């Protein structure tokens, strides 16, 4: 295996045979969630996200409540990216004995349940295990969407407009600040605290995801977990298309712009913003604008037939290489 | 928190409110699987099992294929314990970079897919992550069972007969042999190899679990993952009953008896046999014997109204304390 994406492709092929025996398991490996037929009107979407201490988070950077929040938020983001409504969750957690003896577990679940209550998500199960010395968390969330209406990565067509929600780059800037020694403290520099919170306690786009799903507003959707350049590449690969985006349209986080000279680079290649990236058929633009009038969305470009991703600024057009996050 | 079972009780209480909002999420925390209403005829059961290197397995003890097999087997065992048929699976795996560079992943998935094919289980998703230095696996399996027919831990009544499948203690004896330095090698001592395989490559009781579920043969069921004394205690607690079992009825693994003088202790308190423990209403005994004629099952005792678990041998009757596996 060379990269984790090659492993995912390999598993996709390996699982094709088993999927043939289950015609109701519609979408397997390779999207934000798996899609399963629930009943005649509804499909179930399911996602699983590993969070590993020392790789995805560091205890010295965050309080346990924030980690509990983030563990659920990353999976809610995957559910939102399918246009679905989250319903239930399972949480598997492995802890070293030294952490078990502290208040960590209680505080972790407080953060988890606070976010779960906000979106009416029920905890239905999970597992508890001991680990030698690092915390590991697997967050599993199930959601529901109207039959056949889950929004996949693979539906984008040439001419579709590309949108992103919210602002980008803030979570990556927050990570950089944490690495430099900044910590979350109330009543300190507002810009720094905002960026740290983008990294430590991200908000999933659950409401807008559901509105897009219920109204069939997008042809394709993905959450921005690896970074815009990589996630747009995943969406274009799955759809067999390319894209052209415009640098000055990218909604770069304002606090990031204040503090970092290379803000656009964070917005293009920084992960974990957990915003949504989606494509809209221009014929649906009126309906789209009506339904999403209360939400911050930005048209950053357009899908192209030629399978290349290009980015233009006032002086030039260049190929945009996927430089976002990868584990391997 | 004092023990993992207290954490599970705490989560059960915490999740009760969220479950009220979802009347179709019938059984939450505390059984082998969660139960969700699928459609008018079917319920879905879901389980999640963490496997942590250095706690649940050691790489020097086993080949990657066996670990792939076991990762799926432990979850199939939970599905069997609900009387359900396994349908789909997700696998989240975290690997250190040094393991990623080897053939580990390919061999692991070979073992996983071989068992998945046997029971027609489709891989539909999961996650891949890097870890600092230990392998972590979270195995998630979904299954189906006739509406309202999932067999819970909580249905045992005084007078019900207690049965176990297969033989007990072999997996714990295998673990002891591994700790003593024995390794799996073909063409060596058959008894030792049998015990090692009980630990390294356990067989889930998928067929018998489904027969029990489809025919409504059991009033309560649990898989033997922690050990008979602990798992019987879990079942009795959930049902609000006690039990009396007979030492000479316990189907102690024959190879274990050959090699270890304290064989009964392994059979009572050793975990990971992944056999099934279930209770049968005496009125259903004829139907039960007819349906399960081809399977090795043993009547080891009877459910009692008094909430104590007693074990009798030819000389005395004693309280059976839960001495099986616990993480915390």
């Amino acid at each position: 295996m060379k990269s984790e994406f090659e492993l995912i492709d390999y598993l996709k092929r390996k699982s094709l045979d088993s999927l043939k025996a289950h015609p109701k398991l519609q979408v397997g490996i390779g999207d934000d969630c798996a899609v399963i037929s629930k009943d005649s009107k509804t499909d179930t979407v399911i996602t699983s996200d590993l969070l590993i201490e020392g790789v995805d988070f560091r205890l010295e950077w965050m309080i346990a409540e924030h980690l509990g929040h983030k563990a659920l938020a990353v999976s809610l983001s995957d559910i939102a990216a399918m246009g679905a409504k989250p319903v239930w969750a399972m949480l598997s957690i492995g802890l070293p004995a030294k952490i078990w003896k502290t208040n960590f577990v209680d505080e972790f679940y407080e953060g988890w349940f606070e976010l779960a209550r906000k979106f009416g998500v029920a905890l239905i199960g999970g597992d508890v295990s001991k680990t030698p010395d690092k915390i590991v968390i697997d967050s599993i969330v199930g959601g529901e969407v109207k039959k056949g209406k889950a929004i996949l990565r693979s539906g984008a067509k040439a001419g579709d407009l590309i949108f992103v929600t919210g602002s980008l780059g803030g979570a990556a800037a927050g990570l950089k600040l944490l690495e430099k020694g900044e910590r979350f403290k109330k009543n300190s520099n507002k810009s720094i605290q905002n960026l740290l919170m983008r990294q430590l306690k991200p908000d999933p786009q659950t409401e807008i995801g559901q509105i897009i799903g219920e109204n069939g507003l997008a042809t394709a959707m993905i959450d921005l977990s690896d970074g815009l350049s990589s996630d747009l590449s995943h969406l274009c690969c799955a759809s067999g298309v390319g894209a052209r985006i415009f640098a000055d349209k990218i909604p770069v986080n304002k606090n990031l712009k204040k503090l970092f000279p290379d803000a656009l680079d964070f917005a293009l290649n920084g992960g974990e913003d957990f915003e949504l990236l989606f494509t809209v058929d221009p014929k649906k633009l009126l309906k789209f604008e009506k339904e999403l009038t209360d939400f911050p969305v930005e048209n950053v470009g357009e899908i192209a037939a030629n399978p290349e991703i290009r980015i233009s600024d006032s002086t030039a057009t260049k190929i945009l290489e996927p430089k976002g996050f990868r584990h391997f």
Side-chain angles (χ1 to χ4, degrees), chain A residues 181-222:
Chain A
E182 291 286 353
R183 294 293 176 266
F184 179 76
K185 298 176 227 82
K186 279 171 193 168
N187 306 322
S188 64
N189 180 307
K190 283 265 159 62
S191 291
I192 289 176
Q193 297 316 312
N194 168 281
L195 294 172
L196 293 177
M197 288 305 272
R198 293 285 297 174
Q199 167 62 222
L200 296 173
K201 201 184 172 201
D203 289 318
Q205 299 307 308
T206 302
E207 285 173 280
I208 190 168
Q210 275 176 253
I211 294 171
I212 290 169
E214 279 164 15
N215 294 281
L217 298 176
T219 52
M221 188 148 61
I222 187 170

Side-chain angles (χ1 to χ4, degrees), chain A residues 236-262:
Chain A
C236 286
C237 281
S239 295
V241 295
R244 181 169 179 191
I245 63 172
F246 300 96
D248 62 355
K249 295 282 189 184
I250 310 245
V252 181
N253 181 293
K254 282 177 189 153
N255 296 299
L256 159 61
K257 276 200 275 195
K258 275 189 216 162
L259 295 174
F260 290 86
D262 50 347

Side-chain angles (χ1 to χ4, degrees), chain A residues 12-234:
Chain A
K12 207 168 166 175
R13 290 193 303 277
K14 281 281 274 183
S15 70
L16 277 183
D17 278 344
S18 59
L19 280 169
K20 273 181 207 157
H22 296 282
K24 290 186 174 175
L25 304 175
Q26 299 163 17
V27 180
I29 320 279
D31 220 293
D32 291 79
C33 292
V35 184
I36 304 174
S37 179
K38 182 177 185 293
D39 56 34
S40 60
K41 291 180 182 168
T42 315
D43 286 333
T44 294
V45 297
I46 313 182
T47 183
S48 164
D49 293 282
L50 274 180
L51 290 171
I52 309 280
E53 184 187 346
V55 174
D56 298 299
F57 64 91
R58 290 179 194 277
L59 282 190
E60 61 270 33
W61 288 356
M62 69 202 307
I63 58 175
E65 282 102 316
H66 288 173
L67 186 61
H69 173 101
K70 187 165 175 174
L72 179 57
V74 299
S75 294
L76 290 181
S77 182
D78 284 326
I79 300 287
M82 307 303 283
K85 174 187 164 65
V87 178
W88 54 262
M90 301 178 79
L91 195 59
S92 286
I93 183 160
L95 297 167
K98 65 180 187 287
I99 294 285
W100 181 263
K101 290 175 194 148
T102 68
N103 290 327
F104 176 88
V105 172
D106 308 75
E107 291 165 15
F108 175 89
Y109 278 105
E110 256 176 56
W112 193 95
F113 275 109
E114 191 183 327
L115 183 61
R117 271 193 300 274
K118 182 173 173 186
F119 295 116
V121 175
L123 183 68
I124 62 168
D127 196 11
V128 179
S129 181
K130 190 155 73 178
T131 61
D133 71 336
K134 294 276 193 280
I135 298 170
V136 300
I137 299 157
D138 196 35
S139 165
I140 302 134
V141 177
E144 294 181 4
V145 63
K146 266 189 261 174
K147 176 132 247 109
K149 299 295 183 193
I151 301 175
L152 309 182
R153 298 179 177 181
S154 55
K157 299 264 182 306
D160 287 354
L161 301 173
I162 303 168
F163 285 83
V164 296
T165 62
S167 71
L168 304 187
L175 179 62
K176 181 68 81 180
L177 290 168
L178 288 165
E179 286 170 349
K180 283 182 176 173
E182 291 286 353
R183 294 293 176 266
F184 179 76
K185 298 176 227 82
K186 279 171 193 168
N187 306 322
S188 64
N189 180 307
K190 283 265 159 62
S191 291
I192 289 176
Q193 297 316 312
N194 168 281
L195 294 172
L196 293 177
M197 288 305 272
R198 293 285 297 174
Q199 167 62 222
L200 296 173
K201 201 184 172 201
D203 289 318
Q205 299 307 308
T206 302
E207 285 173 280
I208 190 168
Q210 275 176 253
I211 294 171
I212 290 169
E214 279 164 15
N215 294 281
L217 298 176
T219 52
M221 188 148 61
I222 187 170
D223 78 328
L224 289 168
S225 54
D226 293 341
L228 178 61
S229 63
S230 289
D231 291 318
L232 179 57
S233 166
H234 296 323

Side-chain angles (χ1 to χ4, degrees), chain A residues 283-300:
Chain A
K283 283 184 230 128
K284 293 226 173 161
L285 211 53
L286 273 181
K287 189 178 180 193
F288 171 84
E289 280 165 358
K290 191 183 143 213
E291 297 291 345
L292 293 185
T293 176
D294 294 337
F295 293 92
V297 293
E298 193 71 48
N299 176 203
V300 298

